[in-house]
Amino acid sequence: RLCGGAPPALPATVRGYTTPAVEDVGGASLRLAFDIPEALPEGGYLLAVQCGGAFLPAIAGVPGSRGLDRYGHSRVGLAECLLLARPTTRADTVTFLHAPALRGAYPEGGRVLVHVLHRPTDFFLGLNAGRWLRIRIGQI
């Protein structure tokens, strides 16, 4: 549940799913393209991503203008989100949604609203993607 006085939601389009970097660390993700590319500065974020009539918590990497993707394309206005909603065997603990659940809940090209909850870290290039993700996921 979002707290009162939250900033307006950011509209986005589901652009795809897990990148090789997230897959390399055993994760699954949702890739979003924001309607307003400059809506979020680069960084590591805690987000609330719409899922039907509710919102799910997510940790996200927003690279902004920090380098191009592996195909030479800009990453401005993009976010890669690990949605945290799958229970584990430990009480009061959840983990990221796996790929089939993401694809079922978020069709490619679908529209979502995103609330920014917190930006706890920056986005850093210089480490390989898997190493960066392990460090940043722990920080977020």
Side-chain angles (χ1 to χ4, degrees):
R1 184 170 144 188
L2 297 174
C3 299
L10 302 171
T13 300
V14 176
R15 188 166 182 181
Y17 306 98
T18 311
T19 61
V22 170
E23 193 173 84
D24 286 349
V25 297
S29 64
L30 186 66
R31 294 185 300 116
L32 300 177
F34 292 102
D35 288 8
I36 302 169
E38 300 79 21
L40 290 179
E42 60 83 20
Y45 285 87
L46 295 173
L47 303 175
V49 179
Q50 182 182 18
C51 185
F55 285 83
L56 295 177
I59 56 175
V62 177
S65 60
R66 300 269 181 158
L68 303 174
D69 70 12
R70 66 180 61 218
Y71 304 107
H73 300 115
S74 170
R75 299 186 294 181
V76 172
L78 305 179
E80 185 163 12
C81 310
L82 283 84
L83 280 76
L84 303 172
R86 195 173 91 195
T88 68
T89 56
R90 293 178 17 202
D92 301 324
T93 304
V94 295
T95 189
F96 61 88
L97 290 178
H98 58 292
L102 288 172
R103 289 178 188 275
Y106 297 96
E108 194 163 352
R111 304 283 294 154
V112 296
L113 294 175
V114 178
H115 284 277
V116 176
L117 304 177
H118 187 54
R119 182 187 178 271
T121 186
D122 63 348
F123 191 91
F124 175 75
L125 291 178
L127 299 172
N128 76 35
R131 178 85 176 119
W132 182 89
L133 280 169
R134 283 187 185 98
I135 292 168
R136 292 303 190 242
I137 287 170
Q139 290 177 327
I140 294 170

